[in-house]
Amino acid sequence: MQPPGREQDARTKSMFVSRALEKILAEKEAKRPPHGQLRRACQVALDEIKTELEKQREGTVAPPKANFIEADKYFLPFELACQSKSPRIVSTSLDCLQKLIAYGHITGNAPDSGAPGKRLIDRIVDTICNCFQGPQTDEGVQLQIIKALLTAVTSPYIEIHEGTVLQTVRTCYNIYLASKNLINQTTAKATLTQMLNVIFTRMENQSVCTYYFLAEEKQVTEMVKALPAVETADTALSVSSNENVQTNGIPDDGQSVSSTDNLVNNFTGYVSGHQAAAKFSHVLQKDAFLVFRSLCKLSMKPLGDGPPDPKSHELRSKIVSLQLLLSVLQNAGPVFRTHEMFINAIKQYLCVALSKNGVSSVPDVFELSLAIFLTLLSNFKTHLKMQIEVFFKEIFLNILETSSSSFEHKWMVIQTLTRICADAQCVVDIYVNYDCDLNAANIFERLVNDLSKIAQGRSGHELGMTPLQELSLRKKGLECLVSILKCMVEWSKDLYVNPNHQASLGLYKPSEQEMAEGKCLESGGRRSSVSSLDSTVSSGVGSVGTQTSVPDDPEQFEVIKQQKEIIEHGIELFNKKTKRGIQYLQEQGMLGTTAEDIAQFLHQEERLCSTQVGEFLGESNKFNKEVMYAYVDQLDFCGKDFVSALRMFLEGFRLPGEAQKIDRLMEKFAARYIECNQRQTLFASADTAYVLAYSIIMLTTDLHSPQVKNKMTKEQYIKMNRGINDSKDLPVEYLSTIYEEIEGKKIAMKETKEYAITTKSSKPSVANEKQRRLLYNLEMEQMAKTAKALMEAVSHAKAPFTSATHLDHVRPMFKLVWTPLLAAYSVGLQNCDDTEVASLCLEGIRCAIRIACIFGMQLERDAYVQALARFSLLTASSSITEMKQKNIDTIKTLITVAHTDGNYLGNSWHEIQVRFLVTVYLFF
């Protein structure tokens, strides 16, 4: 991009350059012997500028047509000045370079003579960055570096990309961390934010411009196609133009799918999304991607051992990287929110980083992680279904449930939940996508149960909280529960406003029974999640758009939820008594009757008790043996070494205690291993594999059991396995390798996991604060490991996500959680005289009655109305009971419910009305 006004431009540039060079020569440092080359370069440049200006005045030469030719000529003295390590000389040089870039007097588009394949601007930026030599760099120089780099990134006259962009960001980042001057730190941080804003905004703007260009081109093409067939020349020109764009763009070879780290080198042109789904259409997209990925990796760096120092580089680096990531996500445009490469980067880098930072003991890191998760949930949930589940299940809810977690962590989590629970779309989406998914956890149900316990104050004593902390936590829990019910009321408000509007929908006609009960489904969508511009712009290269969305069918989701409840009950029965659980699932049609069906169920269902699975497989009766054979035959040991195959075999269950059961399992394992590896020549028969498997299990127990004091040596293990290979010995090297591998990593049999929510609250209370913190740190460390492993496992997975639109989701949602909600509100009214608690409880009950009335749920409606009547003391048998403010407020709420929902209350109101009249009569 060339600036206008060539003659005036040349004079202005010469003035900048001349003054800067003269100032450098006037410095005392420049007159010293080490800077002889600098002096000569400055003098040569000044002489050339003087000669050129004289020629221009005489009119013998025209002003230069391209500024980069002169910039190349005059850059050497500034480069040497930046390398001089004299603060005054360096500052002068940086100031001049910054002005030349800012006013467009230097573009740097010329090739760099000293580095093939690079441009001069890359060398200029590299020179500026190299002026920072660490904390010892002069503070004035630091500010000049920041100023020059910001100008380089934001200037409309130059273009820097890829590694050069990263270098500018990295240098400002390092100045923020290393500088001892608070002003420089603040300036560097603000500059980083501004740089990122420019980088990502340019990417979005370029995509919008490209969209309008393509739309116009498409319109012209359609007009050309509509012309008579005689005009073949115009048609040929149109085709030729399209072919040219394709040639300059990314080739449609059908195999051009790049990974996150194997990036595309050709970024010119623009092709449609179906041709190169995982590639960038422009270099600006790659710039943004590289910066985003670098920030994610910086946020993953571990902190040092021990309590973190707030002033340490590690902690400050982590915090600023998370802050910058949060800023990027909050301001993300349609390209960033939909392009496959950015979605993959979020999955593979950001979510993995959050799994670690989301359990940090540092409040600032933890709070930033929660804010990032909240942004992901708001803007990226359609692409991150499995990642959101991991974060909820392994971090959010575990922190709420564990008895040793700190008040601060619980408070920050529940603060975040308050914002989540206030979004009706988000609340209904959580229920539809997780609680109504056979393969997902019951996030909505578990969340309400946890909040109900907090609202009842059941976790306060375990945590050792002060009464004030417990009360504030209870209020927040109640606030979340009330918000959830408000969301349900908001979601179904159309049914309340006009309960008889079913006939106008057209697409869906309810049955006569539904008409009588006042039910209705809304066939159309409630809201649009993506604007027309977003959806159109994001349909470009690499866009995943709505590929992962599925239609919203309330009836289908309700059927899935019922099936899920049957399976969960069957698993619960299995974990108590295996045959009973299998029988129940078969009776309900959720499990086949063949041995292969049951074996597949044992493989796939992770919630089964591993001990019970092992006992079932080890049983001696005929059917259990058939299942065990089918179970082992479904494992593929082809190409695996013996120890790896044994590890894989024992991952699915825990070995039973009886020797005969172990014997049967090991015998079948050995036979299956030989069957899968028939070309192996090491084992003479399956008997060899059987004996060796037994000896490996014995070795694992011996080496890794704390009860065994005298550990088996390598020589003893080799001696123990003599003659097992058809009376011959296995190679000593082979047995030594096995011993060393087991010594380094034991064969871990699958542990039994507790999936019941109630188990966490049954932990014994910790004796003192120090022990509680130690226990919590251990639990958080384990939580982070589990979450990270799960995040990495699903980093490449795609799961369909449904954006809920129908009203009728509220009915099953309320039916699922009405009891813990009622418990929370009842306990709150009964045990606490705080006016705010009472107000929240009454508001929740009022919302619950509204929902029960809308959907004709008689049992739930009666339960809430009777609870309200009970706390009004109108049904009290004795007139001596003290009437408190909360009881008076309850009466007011009861009257309000009668006024607003009286037509829906049915018989539940009759008994209250009678008792109310009797009480008034007795009172007067």
Side-chain angles (χ1 to χ4, degrees), residues 731-851:
V732 175
E733 298 79 10
Y734 180 71
L735 293 175
S736 298
T737 303
I738 291 177
Y739 182 92
E740 290 166 1
E741 184 176 346
I742 299 301
E743 186 180 33
K745 183 182 178 182
K746 70 174 182 178
I747 294 183
M749 300 176 197
K750 187 176 181 181
E751 297 292 336
T752 299
K753 294 181 180 179
E754 296 292 343
Y755 287 91
I757 296 173
T758 54
T759 56
K760 294 186 180 295
S761 61
S762 61
K763 293 180 180 178
S765 57
V766 184
N768 56 51
E769 179 68 13
K770 185 177 180 180
Q771 290 181 356
R772 187 193 65 75
R773 286 191 176 276
L774 180 61
L775 178 61
Y776 181 55
N777 289 336
L778 292 174
E779 288 182 347
M780 292 290 261
E781 187 178 344
Q782 183 58 43
M783 208 183 295
K785 287 181 180 178
T786 305
K788 184 181 178 184
L790 290 173
M791 283 293 189
E792 289 173 345
V794 300
S795 62
H796 297 278
K798 291 183 179 180
F801 189 93
T802 301
S803 291
T805 56
H806 286 265
L807 301 175
D808 210 44
H809 290 303
V810 175
R811 172 192 291 275
M813 286 175 69
F814 184 67
K815 198 171 188 66
L816 184 68
V817 298
W818 73 273
T819 47
L821 289 170
L822 180 59
Y825 300 143
S826 299
V827 171
L829 282 172
Q830 184 172 353
N831 297 342
C832 187
D833 293 333
D834 185 87
T835 54
E836 190 176 350
V837 170
S839 176
L840 286 168
C841 291
L842 292 173
E843 189 175 9
I845 291 175
R846 184 180 171 186
C847 291
I849 293 173
R850 171 71 57 84
I851 296 167

Side-chain angles (χ1 to χ4, degrees), residues 666-924:
M666 289 297 104
E667 188 176 0
K668 177 58 183 174
F669 162 75
R672 177 62 179 166
Y673 182 81
I674 297 299
E675 181 184 354
C676 291
N677 298 276
Q678 295 181 6
R679 294 184 179 180
Q680 65 83 30
T681 57
L682 186 63
F683 301 147
S685 64
D687 290 341
T688 305
Y690 162 71
V691 176
L692 182 61
Y694 235 122
S695 74
I696 291 174
I697 292 173
M698 291 173 62
L699 178 65
T700 300
T701 305
D702 186 280
L703 293 180
H704 296 282
S705 174
Q707 283 80 21
V708 180
K709 295 182 179 180
N710 298 320
K711 305 295 183 184
M712 186 185 301
T713 64
K714 185 186 295 185
E715 291 73 20
Q716 289 173 332
Y717 179 70
I718 294 171
K719 184 178 180 180
M720 183 179 72
N721 285 284
R722 284 179 181 171
I724 66 171
N725 194 21
D726 198 12
S727 300
K728 296 180 181 178
D729 294 342
L730 290 170
V732 175
E733 298 79 10
Y734 180 71
L735 293 175
S736 298
T737 303
I738 291 177
Y739 182 92
E740 290 166 1
E741 184 176 346
I742 299 301
E743 186 180 33
K745 183 182 178 182
K746 70 174 182 178
I747 294 183
M749 300 176 197
K750 187 176 181 181
E751 297 292 336
T752 299
K753 294 181 180 179
E754 296 292 343
Y755 287 91
I757 296 173
T758 54
T759 56
K760 294 186 180 295
S761 61
S762 61
K763 293 180 180 178
S765 57
V766 184
N768 56 51
E769 179 68 13
K770 185 177 180 180
Q771 290 181 356
R772 187 193 65 75
R773 286 191 176 276
L774 180 61
L775 178 61
Y776 181 55
N777 289 336
L778 292 174
E779 288 182 347
M780 292 290 261
E781 187 178 344
Q782 183 58 43
M783 208 183 295
K785 287 181 180 178
T786 305
K788 184 181 178 184
L790 290 173
M791 283 293 189
E792 289 173 345
V794 300
S795 62
H796 297 278
K798 291 183 179 180
F801 189 93
T802 301
S803 291
T805 56
H806 286 265
L807 301 175
D808 210 44
H809 290 303
V810 175
R811 172 192 291 275
M813 286 175 69
F814 184 67
K815 198 171 188 66
L816 184 68
V817 298
W818 73 273
T819 47
L821 289 170
L822 180 59
Y825 300 143
S826 299
V827 171
L829 282 172
Q830 184 172 353
N831 297 342
C832 187
D833 293 333
D834 185 87
T835 54
E836 190 176 350
V837 170
S839 176
L840 286 168
C841 291
L842 292 173
E843 189 175 9
I845 291 175
R846 184 180 171 186
C847 291
I849 293 173
R850 171 71 57 84
I851 296 167
C853 288
I854 288 174
F855 292 97
M857 305 169 74
Q858 184 177 348
L859 174 64
E860 293 82 356
R861 179 194 65 195
D862 292 349
Y864 277 94
V865 172
Q866 288 172 11
L868 200 58
R870 185 170 67 253
F871 290 112
S872 69
L873 298 185
L874 296 178
T875 59
S877 58
S878 173
S879 59
I880 306 175
T881 306
E882 180 186 358
M883 182 71 74
K884 299 181 180 180
Q885 182 61 44
K886 64 181 180 182
N887 305 118
I888 297 172
D889 292 338
T890 304
I891 295 174
K892 291 179 181 178
T893 304
L894 198 56
I895 295 171
T896 303
V897 168
H899 177 69
T900 57
D901 303 306
N903 293 335
Y904 294 92
L905 292 176
N907 295 330
S908 61
W909 181 251
H910 178 70
E911 184 180 354
I912 295 170
Q913 187 178 19
V914 172
R915 292 188 179 183
F916 178 75
L917 292 173
V918 170
T919 304
V920 171
Y921 175 77
L922 292 174
F923 181 76
F924 287 105

Side-chain angles (χ1 to χ4, degrees), residues 332-347:
V335 175
F336 189 90
R337 291 201 303 266
T338 57
H339 197 291
E340 188 171 358
M341 294 297 283
F342 290 111
I343 299 300
N344 288 340
I346 291 173
K347 290 180 180 179

Side-chain angles (χ1 to χ4, degrees), residues 109-327:
N109 288 329
D112 182 8
S113 57
K118 288 193 174 185
R119 297 174 302 144
L120 177 64
I121 191 62
D122 298 323
R123 180 177 161 195
I124 293 172
V125 172
D126 183 61
T127 301
I128 295 171
C129 293
N130 289 336
C131 291
F132 180 70
Q133 298 292 321
Q136 70 274 12
T137 305
D138 181 79
E139 293 176 357
V141 171
Q142 292 177 12
L143 278 177
Q144 287 292 348
I145 294 171
I146 295 170
K147 188 177 177 182
L149 292 180
L150 179 61
T151 304
V153 172
T154 58
S155 172
Y157 303 114
I158 67 169
E159 289 188 11
I160 57 173
H161 299 293
E162 301 181 34
T164 306
V165 170
L166 277 180
Q167 191 176 16
T168 61
V169 174
R170 187 187 307 116
T171 302
C172 286
Y173 197 93
N174 290 336
I175 291 175
Y176 167 77
L177 293 178
S179 179
K180 298 176 182 178
N181 186 299
L182 185 59
I183 296 175
N184 288 5
Q185 291 179 17
T186 306
T187 307
K189 186 176 178 181
T191 301
L192 280 171
T193 305
Q194 192 172 347
M195 280 181 175
L196 263 60
N197 184 50
V198 169
I199 291 168
F200 285 88
T201 301
R202 279 180 178 170
M203 176 191 71
E204 298 289 346
N205 292 342
Q206 177 273 331
S207 297
V208 172
C209 293
T210 306
Y211 154 66
Y212 285 121
F213 169 76
L214 289 177
E216 186 176 349
E217 187 183 57
K218 182 180 179 182
Q219 185 178 5
V220 172
T221 304
E222 290 175 352
M223 291 173 63
V224 170
K225 289 180 179 178
L227 293 175
V230 179
E231 301 180 11
T232 54
D234 290 340
T235 307
L237 179 62
S238 175
V239 172
S240 174
S241 174
N242 288 337
E243 288 176 353
N244 187 37
V245 171
Q246 179 61 39
T247 303
N248 292 332
I250 302 172
D252 182 16
D253 56 4
Q255 300 176 349
S256 53
V257 180
S258 68
S259 66
T260 306
D261 294 307
N262 185 19
L263 299 171
V264 186
N265 293 322
N266 187 0
F267 298 97
T268 57
Y270 195 92
V271 294
S272 59
H274 69 276
Q275 292 175 336
K279 291 189 176 182
F280 299 122
S281 63
H282 198 277
V283 69
L284 292 174
Q285 292 181 358
K286 184 180 180 183
D287 293 342
F289 173 85
L290 292 174
V291 171
F292 181 77
R293 186 178 64 174
S294 297
L295 290 175
C296 290
K297 290 184 175 180
L298 284 169
S299 71
M300 288 188 209
K301 289 188 175 181
L303 300 175
D305 296 332
D309 179 9
K311 296 182 180 180
S312 66
H313 284 191
E314 294 84 2
L315 181 56
R316 291 175 62 233
S317 172
K318 185 180 285 288
I319 289 175
V320 76
S321 62
L322 290 172
Q323 289 172 338
L324 294 172
L325 285 169
L326 179 60
S327 174

Side-chain angles (χ1 to χ4, degrees), residues 495 499 502 508 510-511 513-521 808 811 854-856:
L495 291 179
Q502 296 96 325
Y508 173 80
S511 64
Q513 180 182 357
E514 290 174 330
M515 290 286 285
E517 294 177 358
K519 296 199 304 181
C520 175
L521 291 177
D808 210 44
R811 172 192 291 275
I854 288 174
F855 292 97

